[in-house]
Structure formats: structure tokens, C-alpha cells
């Protein structure tokens, strides 16, 4: 088999299956769409994984229609459009497909009444993500980005409920604006470099940098990707969209879609702008600061939620901030950390959203206070949720732990490392708090979370519990596997993304446990204990302390107003901030 | 490319964002989004523009005749197609919201905040 010929199949297979299902699914038994989608996703996992291994010796490049750069007969003129699979991009694509496969299993029988429309949208979504990973052309990157957005908008609005429609509107307006910024950025970059191909553009930029138009183009493209990745202050849409989307869709959103934005930033910085000192300075400084701010904001907001899906959405924001600090390093250590964290966090967060989905199906709510003690008979779900919460909070095992070690190493500052650990601990403790309340029934007086927005919900209930639990257990099992077997490959893949000629140093992740690695876990458990042993404030002093504690949370809740016009204003402020950083 | 095109693009984008931020009706807001989008089209077409050059169609011109850049025109055309889908989807969602809630004022449409 020739990898060059098989490369486009990674996108053609889901697109073709989507078209086929749309045409004939009305006449087929409903389970056939489920089965075909799962099989196609698993096939893509295998294909992309195989491509990743093949690409270790050099990127696998496919030029559509045979329009290779030689056809134009002039150097630096690339007429064709190509796909290029380096190992890291292929691994990310394989991970997308894996999450889709698990999500399709979770959704088995979920969407019976509507033929295969759900599957068609999901397959389009998957094709867009894989295309986003594999393309080597800036405009194609934009087109895949748009396709990803549009299928995501439709999937969010799908239940046609009140909140889902309103969340989808917020999501669509902010992300549509982001994609206009991206198109403008692509235009600016094209204006200066005269090409859209990554490698050719990198050569031209190395010749003419620093150039204000190039830097402006980068800011606009990065803004769009950071909006998709929900980085402060572009993050407001995420909690609205992820909390209202149907569960199998939330799994994809939090598991990989937002992380792809960060992967895009890293890939562009490393492959296109590596020679532009002005852009690199901004990535090292500005994006790093945004990452820290995002981690902290997300962590605090997650701590102050009671609606489980909103809680998980804010925890995703927090972990994206952690990942952005890895991107900002633009180093082999950071890139390896990002790759492992993307996978570890995606698995854990996907499993947690599925657990929220199980609660929605079985208990018609995901409010941790309303569900107090109602999960006792669903105890296996509680066990999985507890393990997932511990992993978020820094349990020293598996890929998330190994990755956070690398990310902390790339941060180069002990104080900032503690901020990252604190943010992750807040999210882990919030998940564990919800698990204890729902599945054990222990409580403590509710703290800041009591005034958080919430609502009841319902999802299709007639699916067997084991079928819904199976993908969760699988995901957690993969997430806690030791990384020693794959660490050299991941390190090599990350190094090849930064230096395609293979000269970069390689960072090897390791999950060896030392005494210091229990610090994050201890902090998580301390926060959990503090929230579960809290008592109702009766004395005047205690009440005053409570009021002071509330202040920052109330301020944050006030800023996350749910009003799309505010969100757009924040985006404008964010672009101004990035521009001011260059100024 | 003249400075005028840059100014027009920036101005269009600015008033579009201003319109979105101050909007009190979703259909108006979607319209403002389309204004922002036209700003990017002006920018792109401005980038590809050459003085004293014809359209990039060589049916009745010999190859080598000066022509404006066809790549940005292709970009604009592609984006028009994608954005038409996006606008249609937004309007469809707005229609569904109006059916359920009887209003399209963003102030009254905040997810998770209607039960208090």
C-alpha cells in the first residue's frame, strides 16, 4: 500500500459515507447508520495511526490532481493544493477519529427518530477535523475550520430546546466573527507572501520578516484559532455551547474540537512563522500570559458551578489555558506536553461528559444539588467519575500526569507552575465534589455554587446502562495506561512538527512517580474536603468571611453574562490587547 | 492597492462590530455580521487588485495580458458559499427561537438564565 495514495482517503471516507447516508438512510434499518459510522471511525483511527508511523521518515505529501510544485516551473510558485501528514498531525487526526468512534458507540440508538441526520453531521464534522490536521495550505485550513464550525453549530442547535437554541446562537455569532477575522488574516498573509502553501510561505517570511502586515495577519489568524480554543477573553461562548449540546456532541467539543484550535496555533507558529522574531516574541509572552489567565478563570468558574455540564465546560477552559502555556513555549518539551495533554485530557473530559449524559438519561438532571444522593444505585458510574475527577486533579498516573510534568517544565517559573497546578486542582476538586454529592450523598453547606445558573434537562432514556458506560470505561482505561511504550514515539512526533528535518531535540515524557508528584493530588483533596465539610455560616464573623469569599466569584459570574453582545465586545477587547502587546 | 480599500474594509468591520455590540434584535445582529463579512471581501479584492489590468479570463486575450489576481477572487467566492450556509443556519435558529420564545432581543435570550 502506498501512503501517498491513501492520504486523501482520511477525508474522503467520512465525506463519502456522509453523502451516502444522507441519500439512502431513509430505507435502511436505523442501526445500520450507527454501525457504519463506528466502523468508518475505527478504520480512520487505523489509517491515521498507520500514516503517523509512515511519516516518521519524512512527511507523507499528496498533491491533488498531480499539481505538484514542479508543475509551475518556477520556484516559490505553488499552484496545487496538498495534504501533508507529519507524525504529530496524523496522531491528532487518529485521536479525533477515536473520540468519534467512542462517541458513536455512546450515541447508539440515541437519535433513532431522525434517520441518520445526526450521523451525517458528525461525519462531516470528523472530515473537517481530519482535514484541518492534514492540510498544508492556509486557505484550506480556513475552509476546514469553517466546515468544522458549521457542523458544530448545527449539532449544538439540534435538540431545538430553549437553552440549546440560545447557546447555539451565542456559539455561532462569536465563531462566525472569528472566521471572518481568519479570512482577513489569510488575505493579509497572502498579500505579502504571494502564496498560501505553508512551507513556501515560511520561506518568504524568513526573507522579509519582521513585517507589520505579516504580524497583523498572524494576530488575526491566531485570534480565530484562540476563539475556537476558548482562550480568555474569547472564551465566553464555550460554556453556553458545551452545556446545551447533546452529550455525544459535547464529548467531541470538549474532547478535541477546542484543542484543535491550540494545535493549529502551534502548527502555524512552528511551520510558518518560525523565522519571525516578532511573532515568536508575542507567542512566548502574550499567549503565555493569556494561558495563565485562562487556566485561572476557568478553574474558578468551574468551582462555582452546580450544573455538571457547565462545570465540565469551564474545567475544559481551564485545561485549555494549561495547554496554551505549552504551545507558547514553542519547544519540543512543550509540543510533546501538548500532544499528550490533548489526548489525556480529551479522554478524561469525554468520559465525564458521557457520565453527565448518563445522569441526564437516568435522572433527568445534572444539577449536583438537586441530585443529592440520587446516584447511589448507579454506583459504577460514580466510580468512573471519581477516577476521572482524580485524573483531572493530578492523580500521578497516565498521559495527563506525564504531560503536565512536561508542561510545567516548559513554563520555566515555579510561581506560574503553582498557578497551573492550583487551576487544575480546582477543576478536579469541583468534579469530585459533584461526584460525592450525587453518588454518596455527603454534602456540606453549598458554597459559591448555590447561585450559579442551572436548569433541568432530559435525554433519550431507553438505552442500556452498560452500553453508555462502556465507552466511558474504555476512555478512562486508555487515559491511565502507562505512557512509557508510546513516549518515545510522541516525543519524536512533536520534534518533527517543530523541525521537519529531524534535527530538533526530543523530549521523552515519563510518568514516574516521586513524592513531589502527589502535591497536586493533595491540593485537590484538600479543596474537596474544605467544600464537603463546610458548615452554614451562623456567626457574624463567618458570614463576613463568606461574603468576602463570594466577591470574586460573583464578579466572574457577572462577567459571564450569557449575552452575545457582551461576548463580541470582549472579543474586540481581546484583539486590541493582542495588538497592544505588539505595539 | 490603494489605501482607500484598507480604510473601507476597516470602517466596514468597525461599524459591523459596533452594530453587533449594540444590537437589540437578532435579525439585525445577523445583518451586522454580514457587514463584517463584506469588510473581509473588500480587503481581499483590494489585495488582488492591479491598476490597468483586466479580469483574469484569457478566453479572448493572449496569455500574459495583465490581469487582477484570480486567487483572492476564488477565496472570496468560496467564502461566499460557506457563509451563505452559515447565515441561513443562523436565520433558521433565530426563527426557531422566535417560535418558542416570542422575542428576538438578545437581552431576553440568555441560555440558562430564564428560570430565575
Amino acid at each position: 500500500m502506498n501512503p501517498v495514495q491513501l492520504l486523501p482517503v482520511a477525508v474522503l471516507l467520512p465525506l463519502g459515507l456522509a453523502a451516502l447516508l444522507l441519500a439512502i438512510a431513509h430505507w435502511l434499518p436505523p442501526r445500520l447508520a450507527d454501525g457504519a459510522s463506528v466502523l468508518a471511525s475505527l478504520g480512520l483511527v487505523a489509517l491515521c495511526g498507520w500514516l503517523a508511523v509512515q511519516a516518521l521518515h519524512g512527511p507523507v505529501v499528496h498533491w491533488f490532481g498531480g499539481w505538484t510544485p514542479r508543475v509551475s516551473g518556477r520556484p516559490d510558485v505553488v499552484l496545487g493544493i496538498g495534504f501533508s501528514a507529519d507524525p504529530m498531525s496524523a496522531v491528532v487526526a487518529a485521536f479525533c477519529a477515536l473520540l468519534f468512534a467512542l462517541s458513536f458507540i455512546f450515541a447508539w440508538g440515541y437519535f433513532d427518530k431522525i434517520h441518520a441526520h445526526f450521523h451525517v453531521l458528525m461525519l462531516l464534522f470528523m472530515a473537517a477535523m481530519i482535514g484541518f490536521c492534514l492540510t498544508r495550505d492556509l486557505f484550506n485550513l480556513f475552509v476546514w475550520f469553517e466546515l468544522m464550525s458549521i457542523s458544530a453549530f448545527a449539532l449544538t442547535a439540534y435538540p431545538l430546546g430553549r437553552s440549546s437554541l440560545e447557546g447555539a446562537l451565542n456559539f455561532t455569532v462569536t465563531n462566525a466573527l472569528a472566521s471572518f477575522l481568519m479570512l482577513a488574516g489569510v488575505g493579509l498573509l497572502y498579500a505579502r507572501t504571494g502564496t498560501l502553501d505553508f512551507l513556501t510561505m515560511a520561506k518568504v517570511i524568513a526573507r522579509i520578516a519582521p513585517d507589520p502586515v505579516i504580524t497583523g495577519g498572524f494576530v488575526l489568524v491566531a485570534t480565530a484559532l484562540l476563539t475556537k480554543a476558548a482562550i480568555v477573553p474569547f472564551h465566553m461562548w464555550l460554556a453556553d455551547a458545551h452545556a446545551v449540546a447533546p452529550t455525544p456532541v459535547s464529548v467531541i467539543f470538549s474532547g478535541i474540537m477546542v484543542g484543535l484550535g491550540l494545535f493549529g496555533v502551534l502548527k502555524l507558529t512552528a511551520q510558518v512563522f518560525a523565522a519571525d522574531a516578532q511573532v515568536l516574541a508575542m507567542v512566548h509572552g502574550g499567549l503565555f500570559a493569556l494561558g495563565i489567565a485562562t487556566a485561572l478563570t476557568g478553574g474558578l468558574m468551574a468551582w462555582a458551578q452546580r450544573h455538571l455540564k457547565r462545570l465540565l465546560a469551564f474545567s475544559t477552559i481551564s485545561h485549555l489555558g494549561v495547554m496554551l502555556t505549552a504551545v507558547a513555549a514553542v519547544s519540543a518539551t512543550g509540543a510533546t506536553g501538548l500532544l499528550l495533554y490533548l489526548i489525556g485530557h480529551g479522554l478524561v473530559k469525554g468520559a465525564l461528559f458521557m457520565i453527565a449524559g448518563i445522569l441526564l438519561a437516568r435522572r433527568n438532571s445534572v444539577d449536583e444539588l438537586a441530585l443529592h444522593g440520587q446516584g447511589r444505585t448507579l454506583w459504577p458510574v460514580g466510580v468512573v467519575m471519581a477516577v476521572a475527577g482524580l485524573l483531572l486533579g493530578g492523580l500521578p498516573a497516565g498521559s495527563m500526569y506525564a504531560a503536565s510534568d512536561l508542561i510545567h517544565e516548559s513554563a520555566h517559573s515555579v510561581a506560574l507552575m503553582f498557578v497551573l497546578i492550583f487551576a487544575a486542582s480546582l477543576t478536579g476538586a469541583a468534579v469530585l465534589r459533584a461526584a460525592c454529592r450525587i453518588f454518596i450523598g455527603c454534602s456540606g453547606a453549598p458554597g459559591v455554587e448555590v447561585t450559579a445558573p442551572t436548569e433541568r434537562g432530559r435525554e433519550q432514556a431507553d438505552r442500556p446502562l452498560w452500553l453508555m458506560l462502556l465507552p466511558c470505561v474504555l476512555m478512562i482505561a486508555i487515559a491511565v495506561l502507562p505512557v512509557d511504550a508510546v513516549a518515545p514515539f510522541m516525543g519524536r512526533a512533536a520534534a518533527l512538527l517543530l523541525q521537519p528535518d529531524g534535527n530538533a531535540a526530543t523530549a521523552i515524557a515519563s510518568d514516574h512517580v516521586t513524592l513531589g508528584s502527589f502535591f497536586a493530588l493533595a491540593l485537590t483533596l484538600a479543596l474537596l474536603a474544605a467544600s464537603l465539610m463546610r458548615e452554614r455560616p451562623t456567626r457574624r464573623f463567618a458570614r463576613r468571611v463568606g461574603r468576602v469569599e463570594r466577591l470574586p466569584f460573583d464578579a466572574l459570574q457577572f462577567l459571564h453574562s450569557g449575552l452575545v453582545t457582551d461576548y463580541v465586545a470582549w472579543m474586540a477587547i481581546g484583539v486590541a490587547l493582542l495588538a497592544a502587546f505588539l505595539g | 492597492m490603494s489605501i482607500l480599500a484598507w480604510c473601507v474594509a476597516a470602517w466596514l468591520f468597525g461599524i459591523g462590530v459596533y452594530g453587533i455590540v449594540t444590537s437589540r434584535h437578532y435579525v439585525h445582529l445577523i445583518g451586522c455580521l454580514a457587514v463584517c463579512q463584506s469588510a473581509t471581501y473588500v480587503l481581499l479584492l483590494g489585495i488582488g487588485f492591479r491598476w490597468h489590468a483586466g479580469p483574469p479570463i484569457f478566453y479572448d486575450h493572449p496569455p500574459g495580458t495583465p490581469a487582477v489576481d484570480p486567487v483572492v477572487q476564488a477565496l472570496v467566492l468560496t467564502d461566499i458559499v460557506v457563509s451563505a450556509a452559515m447565515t441561513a443556519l443562523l436565520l433558521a435558529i433565530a426563527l426557531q427561537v422566535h417560535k418558542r420564545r416570542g422575542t428576538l432581543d438578545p437581552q431576553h435570550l440568555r441560555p440558562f438564565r430564564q428560570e430565575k
Side-chain angles (χ1 to χ4, degrees), chain A residues 139 142-143 146-147 149-150 153-154 157 159-163 165-170 172-173 175-177 179-181 183-188 190-191 196 213 220 239-240 243-244 307 310 451-456 557 560-569 572, chain B residues 6 13 16-17 19-24 26 29-30 32-34 36-38 40-41 43-44 47-48 50 69-72 74-76 78-79 81-83 85-86 89-94 96-98 100-101 104-116:
Chain A
F139 185 67
F142 166 76
V143 172
E146 282 266 72
L147 187 57
S149 298
I150 288 190
F153 302 153
L160 293 182
R162 274 184 166 189
S163 275
L165 284 170
E166 290 156 21
L169 272 180
N170 287 358
T172 312
V173 171
N175 280 265
L177 205 57
S179 52
F180 301 154
L181 288 177
L183 183 62
V186 171
L188 290 183
Y190 177 76
L196 290 164
V213 177
L220 292 177
D240 290 338
V244 297
H307 186 278
R310 261 180 87 78
T451 49
T454 182
E455 70 177 10
R456 293 180 72 77
Q557 297 270 25
H560 294 77
S561 58
L563 195 60
V564 69
T565 55
D566 289 357
Y567 294 2
V568 172
Chain B
W6 292 86
F13 204 87
V17 170
I20 294 175
V21 171
T22 55
S23 178
R24 294 300 300 270
Y26 257 110
L29 195 150
I30 295 165
C32 293
L33 214 51
C36 288
Q37 191 184 357
S38 6
T40 59
Y41 298 160
L43 180 72
L44 282 174
I47 285 169
R50 307 269 181 283
D69 191 342
V71 173
V72 285
L75 304 194
V76 170
T78 314
D79 190 63
V81 175
V82 181
S83 304
M86 183 132 62
L89 187 70
L90 266 170
L91 287 172
I93 297 175
Q96 292 290 337
V97 169
H98 191 262
R100 282 167 178 71
R101 300 293 309 278
L104 277 175
D105 184 349
Q107 299 279 353
H108 297 125
L109 297 172
R110 306 182 186 195
F112 283 101
R113 284 163 184 86
Q114 49 260 2
E115 291 185 20
K116 281 198 281 186

Side-chain angles (χ1 to χ4, degrees), chain A residues 52-352:
Chain A
V53 176
Q54 295 291 318
L56 275 178
H57 314 295
V60 179
V61 182
H62 179 98
W63 292 97
F64 290 98
W67 285 86
T68 56
R70 260 176 306 164
V71 174
S72 72
R74 280 157 61 188
D76 285 358
V77 177
V78 178
L79 294 174
I81 294 170
F83 266 7
S84 165
D86 58 89
M88 183 158 167
S89 305
V91 168
V92 174
F95 180 64
C96 290
L98 176 71
L99 271 191
F100 270 96
L102 292 165
S103 182
F104 277 127
I105 294 177
F106 181 82
W108 197 274
Y110 188 118
F111 295 100
D112 267 3
K113 299 194 184 74
I114 42 154
H115 304 295
H117 289 170
F118 166 76
H119 300 86
V120 171
L121 281 172
M122 286 285 267
L123 287 166
L124 279 180
F125 198 14
M126 175 158 61
M129 284 187 183
I130 295 177
F132 183 88
C133 291
L134 298 181
T135 186
R136 56 172 289 151
D137 178 287
L138 198 58
F139 185 67
N140 257 268
L141 188 84
F142 166 76
V143 172
W144 294 120
F145 182 81
E146 282 266 72
L147 187 57
M148 195 156 87
S149 298
I150 288 190
S151 28
F153 302 153
L155 283 165
T156 312
Y158 207 60
L160 293 182
R162 274 184 166 189
S163 275
S164 62
L165 284 170
E166 290 156 21
L169 272 180
N170 287 358
F171 180 24
T172 312
V173 171
T174 46
N175 280 265
L177 205 57
S179 52
F180 301 154
L181 288 177
M182 188 164 184
L183 183 62
V186 171
L188 290 183
L189 291 172
Y190 177 76
R192 266 294 178 272
T193 61
T195 178
L196 290 164
D197 182 67
F198 286 170
L199 296 186
T200 321
M201 189 179 269
K203 275 185 216 154
V204 180
I205 288 177
R207 204 164 59 227
I208 61 174
D211 179 285
V213 177
I214 299 265
T215 317
F218 173 79
V219 168
L220 292 177
V221 173
T223 302
L225 293 169
L226 293 181
T227 305
K228 179 64 61 183
I231 297 302
V232 168
F234 313 108
H235 68 291
M236 307 258 183
W237 62 271
L238 183 139
D240 290 338
H242 291 212
V244 297
T247 303
V249 179
S250 301
V251 170
I252 303 296
F253 280 7
S254 262
I256 186 66
M257 179 186 81
V258 287
L260 272 190
L262 292 183
F263 173 64
V265 173
L266 178 67
K267 190 168 176 179
L268 286 183
T269 312
Q271 296 197 337
V272 181
F273 296 96
D276 189 333
Q278 206 176 8
V279 166
L280 281 184
M282 173 168 162
V283 171
H284 288 316
L287 295 197
F288 187 82
L290 286 184
I292 297 280
T294 308
L296 207 55
T297 313
L300 290 172
M301 280 301 283
W303 179 253
Q305 300 300 319
R306 59 189 282 188
H307 186 278
L308 191 54
K309 281 179 104 172
R310 261 180 87 78
L311 189 159
L312 295 175
F314 279 112
S315 120
T316 300
I317 294 178
S318 171
H319 288 275
L320 286 165
V322 176
M323 285 188 247
L324 183 59
T325 62
V327 171
V330 200
S331 65
T333 317
T336 313
L338 174 76
L339 180 58
L340 276 169
Y341 209 90
L342 203 65
I343 293 173
H345 171 263
L347 289 167
V348 172
K349 195 51 63 69
L352 280 168

